[in-house]
Structure formats: structure tokens, C-alpha cells
Amino acid sequence: MNARTKALGNGLLGQLAALRRRLIQRGRSRGGDLDDLIQEGCLRLCLYEREQKAPVRDPVAFLVDVVEKVHIDRMRRATLTRRIFSDRPFEEVDCVDTASLPEEAAEAHELIERVERSLAAANPRTREAFLLHRFDGMSCAEIAQRFNISTRAVTNHIAKALILIDNELLRE
């Protein structure tokens, strides 16, 4: 095993452990589900590298991102499945999404304000890179060209913003 493979393995184990903790802390998944998510992420990493015919520059970051996205997709699918395949008789199924309670709306607004404050305190370039990527749909390469920096630097800016948001969410 060469030094790069060993370093990748150690970095990957640390990142996966952190990812497991974060998903469990948020109550989003059970331990057994996490193994399936991680396996799906590894499969997608391999497929992506095969399609691109080149190794991913930062496989740990790629895998963490993919695992989080796969998890979100599965949660959405499960929610939709529960709505479609309910055990209740058709007449009893409420198909209209009711409005949230005033307390829930107030909590949501407070959380949004906290996230906005944490982003406002971030480096302006970090904030702008995150907003361009997440809300304007720009790729890292497009943002890098706009800022005249490397795509790796853009990825780092986005990661910093996500860490700020994640820390704010965990402070609840």
C-alpha cells in the first residue's frame, strides 16, 4: 500500500466517522442505513471516475457530498412513498398539505435568521461562492473563473460556508 492510498484511507475513515455522527445526531438515519449510504457513495465514486477516466482530486470530499445527497434523496423518496401507499382508506387520506403551526413558522424564521447571520459573518468571497453555487446553480469551475481562483479554492469556500451552517444547526 503506497503512502497516498494509506493517507486516503485514513482521511476517508475520519470523514466517514464524522459523517456518521452528523447523520445520527440529526436523527436522520440508523446505523445500518449508514452502511448502505456509504456503499452507494463508494459505488457512485467509482462510476464517476470510470466515466471521467481520471481519478477524483479529493475523493473524501466527493464521497461525503454524495452520501449526503443520496441520504436526502432516500428521505424524500420514503416520504413520497408513505404518502402514496398509505394503509388508510382513500376517503380518510388528507391530500392537502396543511399550513404549519405559528410556533413552527416562528422557529423556522429564527433558524433562517441564525443561518443568515452566520453567513453574513463569513468571508465575503466564501459567502458569495456558496450563494452562487447553491442558489444560482453555478458550477465550481464557473465560480472559479468569475473569481479568477482555482476550483479547489472555490470548493474550500463552499465547504467553509457549509461548516458554518452546520455548526449553527447543531447549536439548537
Side-chain angles (χ1 to χ4, degrees):
M1 181 182 295
N2 66 28
R4 178 174 164 28
T5 305
K6 190 172 184 177
L8 173 62
N10 291 337
L12 182 60
L13 289 175
Q15 289 289 333
L16 291 177
L19 177 63
R20 285 171 148 272
R21 282 192 306 273
R22 184 167 50 207
L23 291 173
I24 289 171
Q25 282 175 344
R26 291 181 180 176
R28 291 189 175 174
S29 191
R30 296 181 306 273
D33 296 339
L34 292 177
D35 294 333
D36 290 341
L37 289 169
I38 291 167
Q39 183 176 0
E40 177 73 20
C42 290
L43 175 65
R44 289 186 185 195
L45 172 64
C46 293
L47 291 174
Y48 181 83
E49 285 182 334
R50 185 181 303 154
E51 287 174 6
Q52 299 299 316
K53 297 181 180 157
V56 172
R57 193 179 297 179
D58 188 352
V60 172
F62 182 94
L63 185 58
V64 169
D65 188 49
V66 167
V67 167
E68 287 182 337
K69 288 177 181 174
V70 168
H71 177 67
I72 290 168
D73 287 344
R74 285 186 180 181
M75 296 298 288
R76 287 178 181 157
R77 226 177 295 126
T79 300
L80 183 60
T81 301
R82 280 193 304 274
R83 284 183 181 171
I84 292 173
F85 299 107
S86 173
D87 291 338
R88 297 185 319 192
F90 178 74
E91 296 78 22
E92 294 178 13
V93 175
D94 183 16
C95 296
V96 177
D97 191 15
T98 59
S100 63
L101 298 172
E103 303 89 39
E104 292 173 343
E107 287 177 18
H109 286 292
E110 184 214 337
L111 181 60
I112 290 169
E113 288 174 1
R114 286 179 28 215
V115 169
E116 286 176 343
R117 279 194 304 271
S118 66
L119 281 176
N123 175 312
R125 187 166 272 189
T126 297
R127 181 178 52 254
E128 188 174 358
F130 174 76
L131 294 174
L132 289 172
H133 183 66
R134 293 293 176 158
F135 296 105
D136 293 344
M138 290 180 70
S139 70
C140 290
E142 292 170 330
I143 297 168
Q145 187 176 16
R146 183 179 200 166
F147 289 166
N148 198 24
I149 59 175
S150 69
T151 54
R152 177 76 173 164
V154 172
T155 304
N156 288 339
H157 282 299
I158 294 169
K160 287 176 189 174
L162 289 172
I163 289 169
L164 286 170
I165 292 169
D166 194 45
N167 288 339
E168 190 62 43
L169 294 175
L170 290 174
R171 284 194 320 141
E172 290 181 349

